[in-house]
Amino acid sequence: MKKFTGICFVILTSFALVGCLASTASPVGVNCDYSQGKPLWEMPLDCQGR
């Protein structure tokens, strides 16, 4: 039973991390409006110039 609980925990954690990663991905047609006064780290990743 402990093994099953551990596997479920790993799967749920993986889904949560993938969801966080997906939320940082910018959709097509992202608006890089630098005149908003936002710091660079708050802009979508496509606007940051990795």
Side-chain angles (χ1 to χ4, degrees), residues 11-46:
I11 290 171
L12 289 175
T13 304
S14 299
F15 281 138
L17 291 176
V18 168
C20 291
L21 181 63
S23 70
T24 61
S26 301
V28 174
V30 66
N31 184 10
C32 295
D33 186 9
Y34 296 104
S35 66
Q36 293 176 352
K38 286 185 177 181
L40 190 59
W41 63 86
E42 290 183 6
M43 299 293 283
L45 289 178
D46 289 343

